[in-house]
């Protein structure tokens, strides 16, 4: 019993398909996004109270929501950015959800993934939102600038468009530096340097990339986790880039199914949860090697991969776990959604021991 336990504290069945859930910073509330059977967008706000969740607010929009983030909002405003099935990016004031405070038709097809940076008092630099879509493009938006993206990554003329399934910001440790990692359905990971507006690194790991996350957005790049189809995930050590070999990484098999996503614990960057297509959640700890880099035969530095240790696994549903979000304020509290149309609040114990 010394290991952390994953406890389903609250389970609530809902009448729509749930795609994403996010804690509202500095509160006991969270937002849930999804799609009603009539293909309209579900947008609900819940609060945890007395061991249960209470619905505070709900609204229905014309198009289904796929993903959302608070990452580009200030802690005072706590505005919520969403991506929908029509390719629209919208930013909402949660007090007044009738009309978005920002709206742009960003993509030709569904927005699969979204991430934000520069808000919530995390990292430096301008607030920015990145979106990845089935139309093959990845676009970076500044909410203060209407209509046009500040950066756009798309296939070159004649190249096949690949469905972008995952995006993540990282390396935002000063006002100028910032990267975006994007994962595609063919197993490509591409990392774009937003300071130099160039492709910094790319790698194919042969299975579609379902989830990507840097362990921290606001530090010099440290680790990047990529989760894929066919039950594998990869942890890249991002500190040392070799000119030919790129970044060192370790690979682990888990869940016996697609790994839908990964979420690092905000209070400890070396602990992370992976989300299984079989309804399971696995909690991992990353172990660093004795030396994180070594010199190859030509005297060029290359990274040394670490290893991962499974701390706990729990079957919490019967269908894929599509989203999970750790509370930034209370260690071990998490909200997650599954394709069994169930919203769950999880408590993970003993995390302060790692």
């Amino acid at each position: 019993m010394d290991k952390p336990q994953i406890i389903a504290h609250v389970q609530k069945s809902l009448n729509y398909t749930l795609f994403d859930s996010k804690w509202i910073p500095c509160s006991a509330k969270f937002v849930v996004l999804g799609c009603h059977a009539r293909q309209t967008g579900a947008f609900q706000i819940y609060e945890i109270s007395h061991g249960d969740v209470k619905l505070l607010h709900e609204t229905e929009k014309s198009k289904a929501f796929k993903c959302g983030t608070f990452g580009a909002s200030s802690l005072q405003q706590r505005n919520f950015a969403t991506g929908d099935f029509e390719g629209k990016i919208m930013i909402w004031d949660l007090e007044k959800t009738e009309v978005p405070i920002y709206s742009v038709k960003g993509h030709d097809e569904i927005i699969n993934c979204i991430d934000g940076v520069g808000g919530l008092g995390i990292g430096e630099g301008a607030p920015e939102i990145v979106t990845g879509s089935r139309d093959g493009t990845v676009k970076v938006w500044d909410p203060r600038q209407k209509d046009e993206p500040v950066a756009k990554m798309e296939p070159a003329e004649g190249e096949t468009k690949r469905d972008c399934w995952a995006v993540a910001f990282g390396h935002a440790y000063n006002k100028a530096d910032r990267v975006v990692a994007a994962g595609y359905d063919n197993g490509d990971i591409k990392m774009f340097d937003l300071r130099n507006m160039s492709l910094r690194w790319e790698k194919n790991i042969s299975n579609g990339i379902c989830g990507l996350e840097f362990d921290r957005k606001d530090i010099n790049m440290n680790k990047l986790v990529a989760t894929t189809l066919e039950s594998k995930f990869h942890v890249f050590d991002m500190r040392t880039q070799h000119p030919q070999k790129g970044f060192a990484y370790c690979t682990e098999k888990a869940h016996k199914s697609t790994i839908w996503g990964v979420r690092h614990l905000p209070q400890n960057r070396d602990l992370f949860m992976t989300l299984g297509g079989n309804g399971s959640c696995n909690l991992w700890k990353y172990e660093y090697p004795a030396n994180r880099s070594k010199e190859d035969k030509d005297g060029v530095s290359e990274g040394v991969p670490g290893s991962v240790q499974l701390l706990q696994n729990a079957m919490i549903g019967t269908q894929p776990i599509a989203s999970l979000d750790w509370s930034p304020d209370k260690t071990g509290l998490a909200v997650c959604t599954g394709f069994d149309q169930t919203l769950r609040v999880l408590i993970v114990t003993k995390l302060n021991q790692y």
Side-chain angles (χ1 to χ4, degrees):
M1 291 301 284
D2 293 341
K3 291 162 74 174
Q5 302 301 312
I6 299 171
I7 300 156
H9 175 57
V10 181
Q11 304 200 46
K12 189 174 182 69
S13 276
L14 300 175
N15 63 352
Y16 61 92
T17 303
L18 291 74
F19 285 118
D20 206 357
S21 52
K22 289 284 184 289
W23 287 99
I24 301 175
C26 308
S27 77
K29 300 173 192 158
F30 53 85
V31 183
V32 184
L33 298 176
C35 173
H36 288 291
R38 51 190 172 275
Q39 302 305 307
T40 54
F43 188 127
Q44 293 185 319
I45 299 173
Y46 287 91
E47 181 171 35
I48 294 183
S49 68
H50 310 298
D52 201 3
V53 291
K54 188 170 80 188
L55 179 63
L56 295 183
H57 176 75
E58 68 178 318
T59 182
E60 190 175 338
K61 299 298 174 191
S62 59
K63 289 288 180 283
F65 292 107
K66 180 65 172 68
C67 48
T69 180
F70 283 102
S73 169
S74 71
L75 281 172
Q76 290 74 33
Q77 292 174 311
R78 297 188 291 188
N79 294 331
F80 190 52
T82 58
D84 73 9
F85 273 58
E86 200 180 46
K88 233 181 209 169
I89 297 132
M90 290 178 274
I91 300 179
W92 306 87
D93 177 343
L94 297 181
E95 305 288 324
K96 303 189 281 284
T97 54
E98 298 79 36
V99 182
I101 56 175
Y102 174 98
S103 174
V104 61
K105 176 86 165 84
H107 293 272
D108 299 331
E109 295 184 65
I110 180 174
I111 295 174
N112 290 319
C113 46
I114 191 166
D115 194 19
V117 74
L120 307 182
I122 297 169
E124 292 195 58
E128 286 181 334
I129 293 162
V130 61
T131 51
S133 164
R134 185 183 291 163
D135 67 13
T137 63
V138 173
K139 296 181 183 178
V140 179
W141 309 86
D142 184 327
R144 303 166 305 180
Q145 180 180 317
K146 198 84 169 84
D147 299 336
E148 286 300 315
V150 290
K152 186 169 158 184
M153 290 69 90
E154 56 187 345
E157 282 291 314
E159 268 187 38
T160 323
K161 278 196 232 167
R162 304 304 322 192
D163 197 343
C164 177
W165 284 351
V167 287
F169 274 119
H171 203 49
Y173 68 101
N174 62 27
K175 282 188 166 58
D177 280 286
R178 199 167 275 187
V179 300
V180 165
Y184 299 84
D185 64 344
N186 62 340
D188 277 347
I189 302 175
K190 294 179 190 281
M191 191 168 77
F192 304 97
D193 186 327
L194 296 181
R195 182 177 188 168
N196 301 321
M197 287 297 176
S198 62
L199 181 66
R200 180 161 169 181
W201 169 70
E202 60 182 327
K203 183 168 180 65
N204 185 284
I205 51 178
S206 65
N207 279 318
I209 314 288
C210 304
L212 274 179
E213 192 178 62
F214 286 95
D215 59 352
R216 283 284 178 277
K217 293 177 192 178
D218 58 334
I219 57 172
N220 205 340
M221 278 188 296
N222 188 47
K223 301 195 300 292
L224 174 70
V225 178
T227 70
T228 69
L229 303 174
E230 300 195 19
S231 61
K232 275 191 186 147
F233 69 88
H234 309 262
V235 187
F236 293 87
D237 186 311
M238 306 301 285
R239 279 288 154 94
T240 312
Q241 183 174 3
H242 187 274
Q244 282 79 44
K245 297 178 187 171
F247 297 102
Y249 65 98
C250 66
T251 300
E252 189 70 33
K253 278 187 87 86
H255 299 284
K256 296 192 173 73
S257 62
T258 293
I259 306 179
W260 278 75
V262 54
R263 287 287 173 263
H264 288 82
L265 186 68
Q267 297 83 2
N268 182 346
R269 68 185 187 199
D270 298 328
L271 299 182
F272 59 93
M273 189 88 91
T274 53
L275 317 178
N278 58 355
S280 64
C281 283
N282 284 11
L283 180 68
W284 304 87
K285 180 172 194 294
Y286 184 79
E287 304 280 357
Y288 292 97
N291 295 309
R292 290 182 67 177
S293 67
K294 62 181 184 190
E295 290 192 350
D296 67 8
K297 59 182 190 306
D298 301 322
V300 180
S301 282
E302 62 174 299
V304 178
S307 59
V308 290
Q309 174 196 353
L310 180 63
L311 297 181
Q312 190 53 272
N313 62 324
M315 289 294 292
I316 58 170
T318 52
Q319 297 286 325
I321 306 299
S323 80
L324 179 136
D325 195 39
W326 294 104
S327 165
D329 307 302
K330 194 137 183 67
T331 306
L333 188 62
V335 57
C336 72
T337 62
F339 286 149
D340 52 3
Q341 297 195 345
T342 304
L343 162 71
R344 293 176 177 85
V345 176
L346 306 181
I347 294 174
V348 185
T349 63
K350 301 196 170 123
L351 293 177
N352 55 346
Q353 297 179 6
Y354 293 92

